[in-house]
């Protein structure tokens, strides 16, 4: 914006503010709300209930290694002829070697390189049936996953495929989105995108009747590691 | 540029009231959404405190909007985004069409944005040769039907499932199977719109909140189209009202805590999408360019007025759902992109009362809107200030003005008031049969369109009171 | 609770001319409770019709008149209407805010003005008036009382203590009946549709009487019921609590 345009904007607003009637306005920034109610005793239980309420699922593998996790993902993906996973880079998944373990189970693996726009490469990514990501936080109050974008952790893995599987450590549990943004505001700027996902994609546009998977994944699974 | 009201308000409401199908759909859906809202807020401990705090945040931001917008611009630009302040609707559409031309863009996918409806962005882009595809399911239906949204968050609340099925058959050649039920139609939308997302080079979104301190845009959607629109196309244009700011990220957390709960009863929308600048050099995806268009189009005028409080609005739609007038006439009858109680204030506040003088009167002042508003906007107060402005501008029907002026002169003189009351009572007895009047004369005939009017008492309370006091020891006391 | 010995009655113009017996019932109830009632003869209209229509100057003139009339005595003011009550208690202060003389007096009046049922329950601490009655009654919450003054349980508590009256729930009891003053005339078609919805609820609920705290809404609903040929009546709560004249 040019300095002149900015000055014009400021002038217009300052003139308006002279006569504005703004009940309840305080001179100091109120900041975020500091809640006083007690945190749920069992964050994980709350997270699980909330995620299930919105149609997601929480899984605990019998053992935490690439093979067991891959088995679970294969299970979730179902017996589809086309096993095709779009993955975050290994370095950003909490369990090493998941990609290879998936290949061993007959999966085709797509890695997201820099998205160059419309074309065959992007179309190929769009055929993936499962997206596998990590997550930066799980929010107990709402059953949400928080993912910050970055190199090796593209946005598309949690967006294009019809099934999204997130591998997350239990230590990532936080009470709620406002609590997270209050204590870790830096996360919002850590990448160009912070996405907070609360269950499967849904619409209620037609007669407020719920229907899942309209544009984003119709299934959201969390594997606790 | 404003949306001209298509026909006189009375004609629009008449049509809406006569539409039984519309009335039933509205009643059913608003009741459902309101129940969800109540449940959503009940799940949140101390929800009233959250609402109070959200109001504080919005009030404070508006009171320092010059400073926060300045900060916002600085931070968006620091992250490599571009910002344009559009004083008018023309200015805003010109910026976007020029940009499209300069970059050689050909296909735009859009997620929901009330402000682009407000400025008729689609029309202008299409005239500039772009293909524009609405991708929110409701907005897509609106586009296919060449209709207008009738609610700020449920654009097709006026359409039933069978209306949509018919539309898909007609415009998309959908099979019966593809429109068998809502999930089937949802699947159809996914299949038809996915290729559009993958091939578009321009993504246009609205903005729920801009964060001054970081230049972050927050976009709340349920379907995921908002993410696709802001991730796949090479250019992202975000259309944003100048008032939609919060100071910082923690404040954002607070307003988000009440937005979805008030709107649909969800804890959060499925996707709460925070975008800070375009794709970074080391990132895999996201747009190469980000443009934020700050649309004023009357908002600074509203800010400088007695109706500035309406700018606290976070567009949850709860006041529409709860409004007994909206429930009867739906959104289209208001004639504005912003219908319902919020629209009845915002529309004339933005664009004056030449076109919109009826809207502040389209309310019984029942106050239900104020009660459900997550940021406790006193809508009835502003309906009244707008009515007063209408009177000052000489817009009130003369029979009301003259009638009230006479009433005031009479009521300021108690003896005359008593006499006039007796005369009126006599008048009602002349018009009545068996205690009720079936037809009132002149402009009052509206009353007796659907209800009888009672006869006034021959001896008023004051008469009876005096008589009673006279009979008492000590005689009349006052 | 400090004993209140004397009140002034702001009877409202609608009660005065259309429902005088409701006004008398209010007087009888208060006197029976040992509260002396004054009814300043100079009172007229609180100015709400003009205020709601946007005629602020006219409304201000009537507000000043009302402030004058009820400032002659410091006694509390009782109003058998949530709507006029809201006008005096909440709108006068805003309307007269810039008036050097009347701003303070308006605030003072607001502070000692009470809607009738709130006065009984909250100021006098009375819930059981020892009345008897018969039939089924349903309560409709009038908008300004409910959302302006916070009248919620006071009327139903009073009704529930009337022996022999059965109270049934009214569906959508807190949805506006569509009155809204001039709204009912200017936007008659919308108002009529709202009224129709209200009357449907009333006819479904099975009550023979609808109780309200505002006679304006009573007039509106009763007029609609009469047009429909319905036998259901609409009464002010005071009518249901009326002890009758002692003599
Ligand atoms: S005015 Fe309040 S209730 Fe209405 S849409 Fe805005 S925030 Fe929601």
């Amino acid at each position: 914006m040019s300095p002149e345009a900015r000055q014009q904007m400021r002038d217009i607003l300052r003139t308006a503010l002279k006569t504005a009637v703004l009940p309840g306005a305080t001179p100091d920034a109120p900041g975020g709300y500091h809640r006083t109610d007690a945190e749920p005793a069992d964050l994980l239980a709350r997270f699980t209930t909330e995620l299930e309420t919105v149609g997601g699922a929480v899984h605990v593998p019998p053992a935490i290694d690439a093979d067991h996790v891959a088995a679970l993902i294969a299970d979730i993906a179902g017996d589809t002829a086309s096993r095709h996973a779009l993955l975050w880079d290994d370095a950003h998944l909490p369990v090493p070697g998941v990609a290879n373990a998936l290949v061993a189970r007959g999966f085709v693996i797509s890695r997201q390189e820099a998205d160059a726009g419309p074309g065959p490469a992007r179309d190929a990514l769009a055929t993936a049936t499962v997206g596998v990501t990590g997550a930066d936080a799980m929010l107990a109050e709402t059953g949400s996953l928080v993912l910050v974008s970055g190199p090796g952790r593209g946005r598309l893995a949690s967006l294009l495929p019809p099934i999204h599987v997130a591998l997350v450590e239990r230590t990532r549990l936080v009470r709620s989105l406002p609590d997270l943004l209050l204590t870790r505001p830096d996360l919002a700027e850590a990448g160009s995108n912070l996405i907070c996902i609360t269950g499967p994609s849904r619409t209620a546009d037609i007669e407020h009747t719920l229907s899942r998977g309209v544009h984003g994944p119709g299934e959201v699974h969390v594997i606790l590691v | 540029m404003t949306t001209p009201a298509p026909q006189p308000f009375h004609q629009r409401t008449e049509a809406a009231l006569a539409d039984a199908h519309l009335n039933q759909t509205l009643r059913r859906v608003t009741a459902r959404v309101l129940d969800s809202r109540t449940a959503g807020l009940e799940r949140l401990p101390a929800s009233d405190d959250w609402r109070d705090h959200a109001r504080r945040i919005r009030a404070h931001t508006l009171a320092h909007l010059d400073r926060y917008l300045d900060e916002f611009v600085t931070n968006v630009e620091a992250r490599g985004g571009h910002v344009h302040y559009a004083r008018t609707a023309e200015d805003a559409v010109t910026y976007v069409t020029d940009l499209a031309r300069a970059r050689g863009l050909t296909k735009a996918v859009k997620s929901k944005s009330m402000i682009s409806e407000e400025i008729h962005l689609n029309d202008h882009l299409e005239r500039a040769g772009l293909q524009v595809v609405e991708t929110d399911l409701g907005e897509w239906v609106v586009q296919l039907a060449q209709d207008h949204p009738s609610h700020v968050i449920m654009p097709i609340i006026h359409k039933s499932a069978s209306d949509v099925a018919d539309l898909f058959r007609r415009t998309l050649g959908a099979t019966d199977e593809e429109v068998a039920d809502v999930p089937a139609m949802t699947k159809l939308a996914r299949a038809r719109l996915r290729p559009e997302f993958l091939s578009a080079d321009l993504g246009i979104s609205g903005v729920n909140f801009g964060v001054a301190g970081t230049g972050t845009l927050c976009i709340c959607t349920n379907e995921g189209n908002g993410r696709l629109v802001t991730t796949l196309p090479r250019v992202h244009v975000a259309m944003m009202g100048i008032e939609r700011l919060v100071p910082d990220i923690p404040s954002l957390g607070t307003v988000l805590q009440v937005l979805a709960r008030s709107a649909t009863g969800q804890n959060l929308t499925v996707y709460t999408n925070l975008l800070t600048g375009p794709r970074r050099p080391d990132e895999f995806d996201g747009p190469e360019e980000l443009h934020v268009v700050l649309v004023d189009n009357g908002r600074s005028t509203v800010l400088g007025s007695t109706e500035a409080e309406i700018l606290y609005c976070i567009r949850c739609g709860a006041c529409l759902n709860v409004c007994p007038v909206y429930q009867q006439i739906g959104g289209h009858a208001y004639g504005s992109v912003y219908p319902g109680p919020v629209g009845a204030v915002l529309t004339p506040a933005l664009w004056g009362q030449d076109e919109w003088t009826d809207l502040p009167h389209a309310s019984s002042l029942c106050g239900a809107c104020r009660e459900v508003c997550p940021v406790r906007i006193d809508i009835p107060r502003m309906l009244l200030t707008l009515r007063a402005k209408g009177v000052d501008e000489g817009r009130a029907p003369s029979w009301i003005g003259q009638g009230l002026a006479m009433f005031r002169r009479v009521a300021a003189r108690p003896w005359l008031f008593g006499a006039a009351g007796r005369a009126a009572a006599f008048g009602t007895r002349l018009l009545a049969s068996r205690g009720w009047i079936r037809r009132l004369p002149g402009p009052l005939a509206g009353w007796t369109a659907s209800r009888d009017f009672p006869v006034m008492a021959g001896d008023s309370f004051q008469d009876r009171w005096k008589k009673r006091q006279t009979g008492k020891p000590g005689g009349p006391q006052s | 609770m400090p004993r209140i010995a004397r009140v002034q009655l702001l009877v409202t113009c609608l009660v005065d001319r259309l429902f005088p017996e409701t006004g008398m019932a209010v007087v009888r109830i208060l006197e029976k409770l040992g509260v002396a009632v004054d009814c300043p003869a100079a009172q007229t209209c609180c100015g709400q019709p003009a205020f709601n229509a946007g005629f602020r100057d006219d409304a201000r003139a009537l507000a000043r008149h009302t402030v004058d009339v009820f400032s002659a005595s410091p006694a509390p003011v009782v109003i058998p209407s949530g709507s006029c009550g809201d006008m005096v208690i909440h709108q006068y202060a805003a309307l007269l805010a810039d008036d050097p003389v009347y701003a303070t007096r308006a605030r003072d009046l607001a502070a000692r003005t009470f809607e009738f049922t709130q006065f009984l329950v909250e100021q006098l601490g009375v819930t059981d008036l020892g009345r008897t009655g018969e039939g089924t009654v349903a309560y409709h919450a009038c908008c300004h009382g409910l959302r302006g003054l916070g009248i919620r349980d006071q009327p139903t508590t009073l009704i529930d203590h009337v022996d022999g009256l059965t109270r049934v729930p009214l569906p959508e009891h807190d949805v506006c009946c569509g009155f809204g003053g001039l709204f009912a005339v200017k936007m008659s078609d919308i108002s009529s549709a709202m009224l129709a919805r209200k009357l449907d609820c009333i006819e479904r609920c099975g009550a023979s009487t609808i109780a309200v705290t505002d006679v304006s809404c009573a007039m509106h609903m009763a007029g609609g019921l009469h047009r429909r040929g319905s036998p259901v009546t609409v009464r002010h709560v005071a009518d249901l609590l009326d002890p009758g004249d002692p003599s």
Side-chain angles (χ1 to χ4, degrees), chain B residues 152 310 313-320 342 369 372-375 377 379:
Chain B
V152 294
I310 201 65
C313 174
I314 59 173
R315 298 284 190 281
C316 73
C319 61
L320 280 65
V342 59
C369 47
V372 294
C373 177
V375 289
I377 297 175
I379 290 176

